[in-house]
Amino acid sequence: MTIIVTGGAGFIGSNFIFYMLGKYPSDRIICLDKLTYAGNLSTLAPVMENKNFRFVKADICDREAVYKLFEEEKPDVVVNFAAESHVDRSIEDPEVFLRTNIMGTAVLMDACRKYGIIRYHQVSTDEVYGDLPLDRPDLFFTEETPIHTSSPYSSSKAAADLLVLAYYRTYNLPVSISRCSNNYGPYHFPEKLIPLMIANALNDKPLPVYGEGLNVRDWLYVEDHCKAIDLIIRKGRVGEVYNVGGHNEMRNIDIVKIICKALGKSESLITFVKDRKGHDMRYAIDPTKISEELGWLPETKFEEGIKKTIQWYLDNRSWWEEIVSGEYKEYYSKMYDKR
Ligand code: NAD
Ligand code: TYD
């Protein structure tokens, strides 16, 4: 099988490439990535020499480049991870989110229609469902929960999902969609909660918790997400949406305290800062459909996953230190200095 993985130089896409090359050594994987601020070619160093792997630097919105790649590689499957993925950045500047997340998805699916494909898989997010109230722990997102977005990021992802389902209905394109909860693990860009707190704590910098830190996210170890996508592209039904999440809801403040404890840092580093605009309160996935239909279950417990993740950041300081010393510095001071 030949698989095009877009956005494979980012967090989840790179973990997916490592997982797939390890599990299916005879499959061919082509990573198509624009290498935005969030894409890092050094992340893919361990597979660059693999003869079944190819890296192509291109924008998913660049129709000519995308069609050329499809002509050359004749992929069986496309898994689209490429996206602008950070809510805070989408609040600052929505436009690129609309371009990449919506138009890029359309270009990829047009290529699939033109050249033929066994499966187009869209990597989406639970954020398309909006949020749940904190005082209703009995409520969860199912695949039937109405789309009800809060941020420019989640709105752009929801628009893409609707377009994917429209290409299925209108053109009979064999698509599937996964909507996963928050991931954590190795190669997570340090602008997101968990790696940001690990990196700041290691540098004895303040740990900026938005609002009171009571917002709840449903955390899943990245490899469990990769396994779910692998199952969906091989066994999932065409035209279907699958929610992915492991019932691991945690408040932000508790995550930050766990990180302080694991690193032997004082909780006095925790600084409560101005809340995010439109901040979603709680995300919580009901994964019944993927569990019952495809037998997927999360394998890594949070206590084990967070330990592995923290150890990875300790062992791979140069990976994230390079990032936090570059243009990220400017981003950080713009977002946090006066917060
Ligand atoms: P990321 O920001 O770490 O990586 C995104 C990658 O896409 C980068 O390598 C970047 O260079 C590339 N990219 C961006 N714009 C591009 C373009 N126009 N053309 C080609 N490549 C481009 O993101 P992530 O956290 O790995 O998320 C991957 C996908 O999973 C996204 O679609 C995101 O919406 C979704 N998702 C993420 C989470 C999470 O917790 N991180 C949860 C659920 C779903
Ligand atoms: P984030 O990792 O940006 O993921 P998402 O917003 O897509 O869920 O944020 C996770 C939670 O952590 C969210 O409730 C916002 C909060 N947060 C902070 O409190 N401080 C921070 O510096 C960041 C980046 C996030």
Side-chain angles (χ1 to χ4, degrees):
M1 202 151 87
T2 297
I3 307 175
I4 291 185
V5 175
T6 69
F11 166 43
I12 310 175
S14 60
N15 277 282
F16 183 73
I17 289 172
F18 299 146
Y19 176 74
M20 296 295 276
L21 284 173
K23 185 164 179 204
Y24 307 101
S26 54
D27 278 0
R28 178 166 167 73
I29 300 233
I30 298 106
C31 171
L32 184 161
D33 197 297
K34 186 183 177 183
L35 297 181
T36 67
Y37 80 91
N40 203 330
L41 205 48
S42 75
T43 298
L44 294 171
V47 294
M48 277 303 193
E49 300 300 317
N50 186 319
K51 64 177 183 6
N52 284 334
F53 178 75
R54 177 183 172 199
F55 178 81
V56 177
K57 183 175 186 303
D59 186 334
I60 57 167
C61 301
D62 181 346
R63 198 171 283 275
E64 211 177 298
V66 169
Y67 285 13
K68 182 166 168 277
L69 185 63
F70 272 67
E71 231 159 70
E72 284 169 12
E73 295 288 352
K74 312 209 166 16
D76 303 297
V77 172
V78 172
V79 183
N80 181 25
F81 290 93
E84 289 293 334
S85 68
H86 191 33
V87 172
D88 290 326
R89 287 188 193 250
S90 83
I91 293 168
E92 287 298 298
D93 186 7
E95 190 174 330
V96 67
F97 285 73
L98 310 185
R99 192 178 162 276
T100 290
N101 299 2
I102 306 172
M103 288 308 300
T105 298
V107 169
L108 287 172
M109 290 194 297
D110 285 341
C112 292
R113 286 175 58 211
K114 186 169 157 77
Y115 296 98
I117 199 91
I118 297 173
R119 180 67 65 93
Y120 172 85
H121 183 77
Q122 178 74 359
V123 181
S124 186
T125 164
D126 60 354
E127 300 193 27
V128 300
Y129 299 121
D131 64 351
L132 297 164
L134 291 180
D135 61 357
R136 288 294 307 273
D138 55 314
L139 295 180
F140 297 92
F141 298 138
T142 73
E143 290 79 1
E144 270 68 55
T145 301
I147 301 279
H148 185 79
T149 54
S150 314
S151 70
Y153 162 68
S154 56
S155 304
S156 67
K157 293 295 288 185
D161 281 14
L162 294 176
L163 210 52
V164 172
L165 295 173
Y167 272 55
Y168 170 61
R169 165 104 185 226
T170 308
Y171 307 115
N172 227 352
L173 191 73
V175 305
S176 47
I177 297 177
S178 50
R179 293 182 179 148
C180 190
S181 59
N182 287 62
N183 285 211
Y184 68 100
Y187 301 107
H188 203 180
F189 195 87
E191 68 188 351
K192 307 281 172 59
L193 179 76
I194 289 183
L196 184 147
M197 296 300 167
I198 297 173
N200 279 17
L202 284 171
N203 287 332
D204 294 305
K205 283 176 63 178
L207 307 177
V209 172
Y210 299 166
E212 295 176 86
L214 302 179
N215 306 63
V216 169
R217 298 293 183 263
D218 184 357
W219 294 96
L220 184 72
Y221 192 63
V222 62
E223 197 177 55
D224 280 324
H225 185 190
C226 297
K227 288 177 180 169
I229 294 171
D230 177 30
L231 270 176
I232 296 169
I233 60 179
R234 280 162 210 274
K235 297 191 184 136
R237 285 182 292 143
V238 161
E240 291 292 317
V241 173
Y242 293 89
N243 282 356
V244 184
H247 282 304
N248 182 52
E249 290 176 50
M250 299 187 70
R251 300 188 310 176
N252 295 339
I253 185 69
D254 296 328
I255 298 259
V256 179
K257 285 181 178 170
I258 288 171
I259 291 170
C260 287
K261 187 155 182 237
L263 291 173
K265 300 289 178 179
S266 164
E267 286 183 11
S268 64
L269 285 174
I270 295 174
T271 315
F272 293 97
V273 300
K274 192 162 162 244
D275 210 350
R276 174 186 279 172
K277 289 183 183 130
H279 199 171
D280 280 338
M281 287 314 300
R282 171 176 168 248
Y283 301 145
I285 283 275
D286 175 353
T288 305
K289 180 173 175 181
I290 189 168
S291 303
E292 288 185 351
E293 264 188 37
L294 305 180
W296 178 87
L297 283 173
E299 290 167 30
T300 302
K301 294 250 176 315
F302 187 77
E303 303 74 61
E304 183 197 341
I306 193 72
K307 232 194 239 169
K308 279 206 272 190
T309 303
I310 291 173
Q311 195 55 48
W312 188 88
Y313 281 84
L314 284 166
D315 294 343
N316 292 274
R317 267 193 108 110
S318 61
W319 182 87
W320 58 268
E321 274 178 345
E322 204 170 300
I323 291 170
V324 300
S325 67
E327 64 180 304
Y328 178 80
K329 255 190 178 160
E330 243 171 73
Y331 162 82
Y332 196 88
S333 82
K334 183 172 156 208
M335 302 297 268
Y336 292 92
D337 278 0
K338 289 201 192 87
R339 199 155 185 148

